[in-house]
Amino acid sequence: MVGGLAAGQPALAAEAVSGSRASTATAGAKGHRNAKKEKKMRIVAVEEAFAIPGAIRQEAVIRQRLEAPEAIKQEWFRRLDDLTDLRLADMDANGVDVQVLSYATPGLEVIEDPAEAVAVARRVNDHLAKAVAADPKRFAGFAVLPLQDPKAAVVELRRAVQELGLKGVLYNDHVRGHYLDEPQFRPVWAELERLGVTLYLHPAAIPADNWRVFDGYPVLVGPSWGWTATTGAHALRLIYGGVFDQFPRASVMLGHMGELLPFQMARLDSRFGQVPAERRLQHLPSYYLRNNVYVTTSGVMSHAALLGAVHAVGVDRVLFSIDYPFESSAEAVGFLRSAPYAPADLASIAHGNAERVLGL
């Protein structure tokens, strides 16, 4: 069963309310004094989805299986397919200056035929580059890659960055059960490092396998828990698989406050002495989370979580994102503006880090 994108929304809304109360107690009158200044703060959102109707044959069937009320799904699809009117109106209404666009899940990873994946990747990246070129002050983009064919993926990555001007890659967790620590993907990491661009590791709509612990509880499969567990585990495979020892300047972005990994750093380090010798790394696991991983806020509107993530990995590695259209731009921006940070640190999260990391 496919996890539903809507499943986590009530909890997120409740968390946003709780976070707002906490920030009011922390920031107090200072937040009100800075209200006018904060409204002018530049905002770059880095995990913002779009789609191209009919680009992926399997997409319609997968969309039908999403666990969400039909009216909500139709509104998502209407907004995913739009790159002008609805999207820009939402950005303007909420003070979002730039969206970094990425192709919506299920993505290319569900395509079985490598040749088809290569063709669709070129079509999607060309479409995205054209949209960015039409409004470069409002949009940037993450490329898709046909990782079903790693050699072709390297060629498309080079084209997407050097010719089309895209700023990195967004990838949906696994390609038919294969993960990016596997040897066949090392040339892709080498090219990512050479080009100096990041890979946004995003959850997959269809899991690679079924976990019995989720049986009878479809709410656990998707955004409320399953996506975090599987994507976080994939990131740990990259670390323990030595990807960042071999490619020390390579990096990944993780949404949802780093898929909770910043909060697990002490535990990872404390158990590192039990790691078998063949899995030993050059550094403790926390080193890679502080040096090769960027954290985004997508879908976690909690000041407590934001404070914890910043404390764990540093303010220069946390980036703002909304997860449009699956999350409310108004709630996400309100959460950002009310965060209990000094203006300079808040500006880093809101736009400075994205501009530096993505070369905006």
Side-chain angles (χ1 to χ4, degrees), residues 190-208:
E191 190 66 11
L192 287 164
E193 183 181 58
R194 187 187 74 82
L195 293 169
V197 296
T198 194
L199 183 145
Y200 200 124
L201 189 58
H202 186 272
I206 298 179

Side-chain angles (χ1 to χ4, degrees), residues 43-308:
I43 296 177
V44 176
V46 300
E47 187 196 323
E48 317 311 318
F50 79 99
I52 304 172
I56 297 174
R57 292 182 293 105
Q58 300 92 330
E59 186 174 76
V61 173
I62 294 171
R63 282 181 169 188
Q64 290 174 2
R65 294 165 60 191
L66 292 174
E67 293 281 345
E70 189 63 27
I72 291 176
K73 289 197 293 186
Q74 291 307 316
E75 182 63 16
W76 285 343
F77 304 152
R78 187 171 77 103
R79 291 183 174 275
L80 284 171
D81 297 344
D82 169 81
L83 279 172
T84 53
D85 300 339
L86 297 172
R87 188 177 301 262
L88 286 170
D90 184 273
M91 292 169 66
D92 290 343
N94 294 290
V96 177
D97 296 277
V98 179
Q99 280 192 358
V100 182
L101 303 170
S102 53
Y103 199 77
T105 187
L108 269 69
E109 292 76 15
V110 299
I111 298 174
E112 294 186 5
D113 177 37
E116 181 185 354
V118 171
V120 174
R122 291 184 63 89
R123 176 184 175 186
V124 170
N125 290 335
D126 287 344
H127 181 95
L128 175 55
K130 183 178 179 180
V132 171
D135 203 345
K137 292 184 178 180
R138 306 305 300 276
F139 297 129
F142 284 127
V144 297
L145 292 184
L147 286 160
Q148 293 85 340
D149 182 342
K151 291 182 179 179
V154 170
V155 174
E156 182 59 18
L157 171 59
R158 191 175 300 135
R159 186 184 81 93
V161 173
Q162 295 183 327
E163 297 180 24
L164 301 182
L166 301 180
K167 301 302 182 180
V169 173
L170 185 136
Y171 165 78
N172 294 299
D173 194 30
H174 68 92
V175 176
R176 294 176 295 168
H178 292 283
Y179 294 96
L180 292 182
D181 61 301
E182 297 175 25
Q184 66 269 29
F185 298 117
R186 295 301 164 112
V188 177
W189 287 111
E191 190 66 11
L192 287 164
E193 183 181 58
R194 187 187 74 82
L195 293 169
V197 296
T198 194
L199 183 145
Y200 200 124
L201 189 58
H202 186 272
I206 298 179
D209 47 30
N210 296 313
W211 294 6
R212 285 191 60 195
V213 70
F214 294 159
D215 287 354
Y217 294 88
V219 67
L220 297 178
V221 179
S224 65
W225 182 248
W227 289 358
T228 283
T230 54
T231 310
H234 189 165
L236 290 175
R237 287 178 66 113
L238 301 179
I239 291 173
Y240 288 112
V243 169
F244 301 123
D245 282 346
Q246 186 174 357
F247 306 105
R249 296 186 305 279
S251 67
V252 297
M253 284 189 183
L254 296 174
H256 318 112
M257 292 297 177
E259 307 297 358
L260 302 186
L261 291 183
F263 312 102
Q264 190 71 0
M265 285 166 57
R267 180 68 169 168
L268 295 171
D269 285 355
S270 73
R271 298 296 93 188
F272 186 64
Q274 299 175 2
V275 174
E278 62 272 19
R279 287 289 185 186
R280 286 295 173 88
L281 306 169
Q282 294 177 12
H283 307 280
L284 289 172
S286 61
Y287 173 91
Y288 304 96
L289 291 168
R290 292 192 177 105
N291 289 276
N292 299 98
V293 172
Y294 295 99
V295 169
T296 84
T297 64
S298 60
V300 182
M301 289 171 272
S302 160
H303 290 149
L306 179 61
L307 288 164

Side-chain angles (χ1 to χ4, degrees), residues 336-350:
L336 173 69
R337 291 193 188 281
S338 59
Y341 282 100
D345 286 344
L346 195 61
S348 293
I349 297 168

